[in-house]
Amino acid sequence: MSAPTPRRRASDRVRATPVGLFGYLRLRHKLALMLTIAALLPVLGASTVAMRLVLAGLKSGVRTQTERTMRVALNLVLANVKDVFEEAIRLSEQAGLSDLLLLDPQSTGELLMHKESQLLPGLVEIADETGKVVGRRAVGGAQLTSTLSSTEAIRGALSYERRVTIARGPSPGAPLMIRASAPVVDDAYQLRGAVVVSVPLDAEFADRLKAQLSADVVVYQADAPTASSFVAIDGRREVGFAAPTAVTTAVLAGDTRVIEANAYGRMFSVGYAPLQDYEGHHLGMLAVAADEDALRSEEHTV
């Protein structure tokens, strides 16, 4: 016969029973804990919602500030357009210019040299009544002399037309430009020639806008970045970053966009607006890129 199985002690049976999460707690303690958790759940939920609202508010504030900066940038571009136009008119009305074009056209180059300190960064050209360029002066970039073609602008000025517009560069990688033209007439309103002023929307132009905006600037011809105010760590000038296809399609159709973009190791809030010529053709885009961390710190300061 087998030996009888020893009976387990009561203490052993107690230890073998699973304790669980609340096994050692008395009923009143369990009730208190459950009530505490029930009270905290709405607080935790409210905290989550509040955090989401704060983040959404920050994003909304950054977007609003970017849109405001973009509008200011467009106004600054228009102010530059006005300045270029006024310079072309002022040069066309320069005392003695009509006489020089009639008697000694080649000396108009010397006139521009003497006026250089008063000229905007860009290219100034003077043509005679046949459309031949007889005087040319590049300010802030001699390479412009051989890259900018102003035949159409000269032709318009020789038709007694004063005009300012944004024009394409001579190649896909060249920057857009502000171009103004005006006829030169004598006291009897006889046509003597034309003046054309071309100011490229290049890196120097982007730097000038950045100084007024406190935000970086990128200029695009069509959807290709051609100039920017960004500078690499090694001092090399960055041409700018590409925009998403959906953005370029919308902006080149005349719309504006504000997006978040990661470029050069930072996150930016970027506003895009179209740049168009006198006829309303959308030739490119202007982008303002504001560092999101900087914008948020400004909001907290305010």
Side-chain angles (χ1 to χ4, degrees), residues 80-81 83-85 87 119-124 139 144 148 165-167 175-180 196-202 204-205 208:
N80 278 269
V81 169
D83 290 342
V84 175
F85 188 46
E87 179 170 296
L119 302 178
L120 295 171
L123 181 68
V124 181
V139 181
L144 296 176
L148 299 182
T165 188
I166 292 179
L176 297 173
M177 67 192 78
I178 302 171
R179 172 165 282 164
V196 178
V197 178
S198 303
V199 174
L201 305 186
D202 56 8
E204 186 176 349
F205 178 84
R208 293 199 300 272

Side-chain angles (χ1 to χ4, degrees), residues 33 55 103 114 126-127 169 218 274 278 285:
L33 182 59
L55 292 176
L103 303 174
H114 292 308
I126 298 177
V218 183
Y278 181 80
M285 304 184 296

